[in-house]
Amino acid sequence: MLLLADLAPVLLGGLLAWTGAAKLFGRTTQQQAADTALMRILHDSEWVVRTFRALGAVELVVALGLVVLPLSVVPAVASVALGVGFLAYLGWAKVNAPDSSCGCTARKEAPITWRAFVRASLVVVGGVVAVFASTAWWSAVAAAPLGSALVVVAAVALVGTMSTDLDHLWLLPLRRLRLRLLGHPLSSTAVASGPVPYDASLELLELSQAWAASAPVVRSSLLEHWDADGWRILRFAGAWEGPSGTRPVSVLFAMDANASIDTTTNPLIRVTVVDDQTNELLPDAIDTTSRPQLPVTPA
């Protein structure tokens, strides 16, 4: 535990240096910024980019303080404050913008998951542990090189598993290995036993012509899904330009719950558009006249 406390400043400094550099020097486009939860607060993608850059600079300064001044409580306390701020932001974003990305490393455009909360918690815990450092990290490494190496490897592995940016280095190869050993989960035997996973239905939908026809109306990722009488219902939020102006709608796709890309390339998909305010069906919301070959049945 003493060795961990002595190494905490450099380990935490490395983590903050990585995330800070990604925010400050990463190529964050305005479209990526618009997809983050911070957009709900600032309402301007340019200001979102500037905010992430400024936060990245702060993280780099704190990281430098942790590495250069490992026995000072100032950078350790600053990192605790950063971690608490990250947790507060993630909690707010999870409630108010659950489908948005957090922009934590300014790279991945994915919804906030439990891994983002764990990573922010590691910043808080690391800062608290760093307060109790009694020996500079370089002296601790010189005194116990093998133990220090084990601690560093374990810390890097922990942070790596909590970051989606590194999934291509370990998670994807692990999934490929699982497929080789256990077989594809959507094989013919798996499909015959019952409904396929929801991700498989979503994948099939997004490759279909029905999805292409509905794309001008859909405005969200998948909001909810359920099965009924062999059908799988997928609901998305949308906006329709009607005679009286833009109307918020729900776009419902109904498809075979057993279908996947392994069983069909041309699924029958029923599309229903419902006005969110009046619950009125909008049969003209999806334009299929220019695509007569589309297997779409507007309701």
Side-chain angles (χ1 to χ4, degrees), residues 16-36:
L16 292 177
W18 170 49
T19 57
K23 293 185 182 73
L24 183 59
F25 303 112
R27 296 180 180 178
T28 304
T29 65
Q30 292 194 359
Q31 180 58 46
Q32 288 175 318
D35 292 334
T36 65

Side-chain angles (χ1 to χ4, degrees), residues 87-266:
L87 285 173
Y89 166 67
L90 290 172
W92 176 89
K94 192 65 175 176
V95 173
N96 295 278
D99 295 324
S100 302
S101 63
C102 66
C104 302
T105 59
R107 291 180 183 177
K108 288 292 183 181
E109 300 177 57
I112 298 170
T113 65
W114 63 271
R115 292 203 286 181
F117 285 93
V118 173
R119 192 169 57 244
S121 299
L122 289 176
V123 176
V124 177
V125 174
V128 172
V129 174
V131 171
F132 298 95
S134 58
T135 304
W137 61 267
W138 52 83
S139 298
V141 171
L146 180 57
S148 299
L150 293 176
V151 171
V152 171
V153 169
V156 171
L158 177 61
V159 172
T161 57
M162 293 301 109
S163 174
T164 55
D165 289 330
L166 303 179
D167 282 352
H168 65 285
L169 296 178
W170 69 276
L171 186 57
L172 292 182
L174 185 62
R175 287 173 174 171
R176 294 191 185 104
L177 178 61
R178 183 186 64 182
L179 290 178
R180 292 193 190 99
L181 297 177
L182 303 178
H184 199 289
L186 300 181
S187 63
S188 57
T189 56
V191 172
S193 63
V196 300
Y198 283 101
D199 288 344
S201 296
L202 185 60
E203 181 182 24
L204 181 62
L205 171 64
E206 291 178 346
L207 293 175
S208 69
Q209 293 175 320
W211 176 262
S214 307
V217 179
V218 176
R219 292 293 185 274
S220 76
S221 57
L222 180 64
L223 297 181
E224 61 178 330
H225 49 72
W226 63 91
D227 291 351
D229 298 327
W231 289 89
R232 174 155 292 166
I233 316 299
L234 307 173
R235 186 176 78 86
F236 299 78
W240 179 57
E241 294 287 343
S244 58
T246 303
R247 304 166 68 173
V249 298
S250 290
V251 185
L252 304 175
F253 296 92
M255 56 192 300
D256 185 355
N258 298 316
S260 73
I261 59 174
D262 291 336
T263 60
T264 180
T265 57
N266 190 27

